[in-house]
Amino acid sequence: MKRLFLKSLVFTAVIAVSSCNSNKQATIKEDGTEAVKIRTQEEGKEEKNDTIAVQGKVNEINKGKDGYTAILTAEDGKIYYATISIPNLKDPKQYRSVTIGETIKVKGNSWKMEDDNYITVRELEK
């Protein structure tokens, strides 16, 4: 009896987990019927990152495990969080420490989270 209960519990858990990862999206129409749309992989992908170059003054530095994040104020007044680390740079020899107040130019992949602008730095110019 315990074995049967355990098997049914595991079976229920597997069904619950697999249904959470479903590619189906259901909507209820006004007449009470249900319409199911199957999402494709293309619809689930995030937007591609843009590559940008920013020159700005370093306001703050937050040290991390593999590098640091420099908070930059660009010439147009925008704030950027530039993550600078050896693994992310195209040429690891470009890696260097920067100081608060220094003006630097970075190139890399940009993305937004809420209202904040982030850059994964690929090139750190001197």
Side-chain angles (χ1 to χ4, degrees), residues 84-101:
I84 302 169
S85 66
I86 294 172
N88 289 335
L89 290 170
K90 287 182 181 176
D91 180 8
K93 293 178 184 175
Q94 291 180 342
Y95 183 83
R96 63 184 173 89
S97 295
V98 298
T99 58
I100 295 175

Side-chain angles (χ1 to χ4, degrees), residues 3 12 15-16 18 20 22 26 37 39-40 46 49 54-55 57-60 64 75 80 90 94 96 99 113 119:
R3 252 184 139 156
T12 305
I15 290 175
S18 65
C20 291
S22 177
K37 178 182 176 186
R39 293 178 288 205
T40 63
E46 294 181 16
N49 296 339
V54 174
Q55 182 170 340
K57 183 178 178 180
V58 178
N59 297 327
E60 188 178 329
E75 295 167 344
Y80 291 91
K90 287 182 181 176
Q94 291 180 342
R96 63 184 173 89
T99 58
M113 183 185 302
I119 301 174

Side-chain angles (χ1 to χ4, degrees), residues 61-76:
I61 298 171
N62 297 317
K63 302 261 184 209
K65 181 179 169 187
D66 293 329
Y68 57 93
T69 299
I71 301 174
L72 307 175
T73 301
E75 295 167 344
D76 61 0

